């Protein structure tokens, strides 16, 4: 069996990639956020996709250091992060309603979509718990575990960025068509409503 540079055999790595793609394709807050930003335009959508991917690297870092285990051993910590994340999503929704951030006719600050994408992913404790359970199973034990986990996390981030960029581009095409109709002003309510709904769902979970 071929062994890759970071210590995993090719079969295990391909199995990880297959599992990662299946999980990435499952709809969730990250996909919904990028979809909403993509309706606003190609730039905001793609930047938010890369922001989400950067959040994945943050969770990989926590899992590699063992910090993510805190959420399993101290449920109150996970709950606190969950409520902060939900509050942030609600804040994004309210801010969008006030500032028309999801209206294609209103130009937003270029770095905002990326930063908010990072926070949407980083403030989701479910992602941290997922990486805590998912990465070690493929990285194994023994020497080089940290390198293998980091490599797998980076792979997951790249796959996430690729898929969500496609989502953003598709949403941009849809948004461009809607922008030429009388429904253009409704895009802001769709995007803002998505953020508010995601915040409520996160609290209820």
């Amino acid at each position: 069996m071929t062994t890759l540079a970071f210590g995993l055999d090719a079969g295990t790595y391909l199995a990880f990639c297959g599992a990662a793609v299946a999980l990435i394709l499952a709809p969730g807050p990250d996909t919904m956020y990028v979809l909403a930003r993509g309706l606003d335009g190609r730039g905001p959508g793609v930047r938010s996709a890369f922001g989400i991917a950067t959040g994945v690297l943050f969770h990989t870092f926590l899992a590699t250091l063992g910090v993510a285990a805190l959420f399993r051993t101290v449920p109150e910590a996970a709950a606190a992060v969950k409520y902060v994340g939900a509050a942030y999503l609600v804040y994004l929704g309210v801010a969008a309603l006030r500032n028309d951030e999801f209206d294609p006719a209103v130009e937003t600050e270029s770095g905002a979509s990326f930063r908010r994408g990072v926070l949407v992913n980083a403030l989701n404790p479910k992602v941290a718990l997922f990486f805590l359970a998912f990465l070690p199973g493929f990285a194994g034990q023994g020497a080089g575990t940290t390198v293998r986990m980091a490599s797998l996390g980076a792979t997951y981030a790249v796959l996430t960025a690729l898929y969500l960029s496609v989502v953003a581009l598709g949403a941009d095409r849809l948004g461009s068509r809607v922008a030429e109709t009388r429904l253009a002003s409704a895009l802001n309510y769709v995007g803002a409503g998505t953020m508010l709904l995601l915040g409520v769902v996160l609290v209820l979970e």
Side-chain angles (χ1 to χ4, degrees):
M1 184 68 69
T2 303
T3 301
L4 303 177
F6 45 85
L8 277 177
D9 63 74
T12 300
Y13 183 70
L14 290 176
F16 171 83
C17 289
V21 168
L23 292 166
I24 290 169
L25 292 177
D30 294 343
T31 303
M32 295 302 297
Y33 177 72
V34 173
L35 180 62
R37 297 304 323 185
L39 290 172
D40 188 31
R42 179 181 304 179
V46 173
R47 285 192 292 271
S48 65
F50 277 85
I52 296 292
T54 302
V56 169
L57 293 177
F58 171 74
H59 285 293
T60 300
F61 178 72
L62 293 183
T64 301
L65 293 181
V67 178
L70 175 67
F71 292 139
R72 174 180 292 176
T73 56
V74 185
E76 292 80 8
V81 174
K82 179 181 77 170
Y83 290 126
V84 170
Y88 182 67
L89 289 170
V90 171
Y91 161 77
L92 290 181
V94 173
L97 288 174
R98 296 180 59 185
N99 304 321
D100 295 330
E101 290 186 13
F102 289 100
D103 189 333
V106 178
E107 185 173 350
T108 57
E109 193 266 310
S110 60
S113 297
F114 176 82
R115 293 194 300 270
R116 290 174 179 177
V118 174
L119 289 174
V120 166
N121 187 271
L123 292 176
N124 189 346
K126 291 175 64 177
V127 179
L129 290 171
F130 163 75
F131 270 80
L132 179 64
F134 190 62
L135 291 185
F138 286 93
Q141 302 295 325
T145 300
T146 298
V147 173
R148 292 193 294 272
M149 287 184 65
S151 299
L152 292 175
T155 298
Y156 195 100
V158 170
L159 293 173
T160 297
L162 290 174
Y163 169 68
L164 291 181
S165 292
V166 172
V167 171
L169 294 176
D172 171 58
R173 293 187 63 181
L174 176 61
S176 297
R177 293 180 180 180
V178 175
E180 299 173 356
T181 71
R182 296 180 180 180
L183 297 176
S185 59
L187 287 178
N188 189 62
Y189 294 101
V190 172
T194 299
M195 296 301 99
L196 292 170
L197 180 60
L198 288 175
V200 172
V201 169
L202 185 58
V203 170
L204 294 179
E205 286 183 339

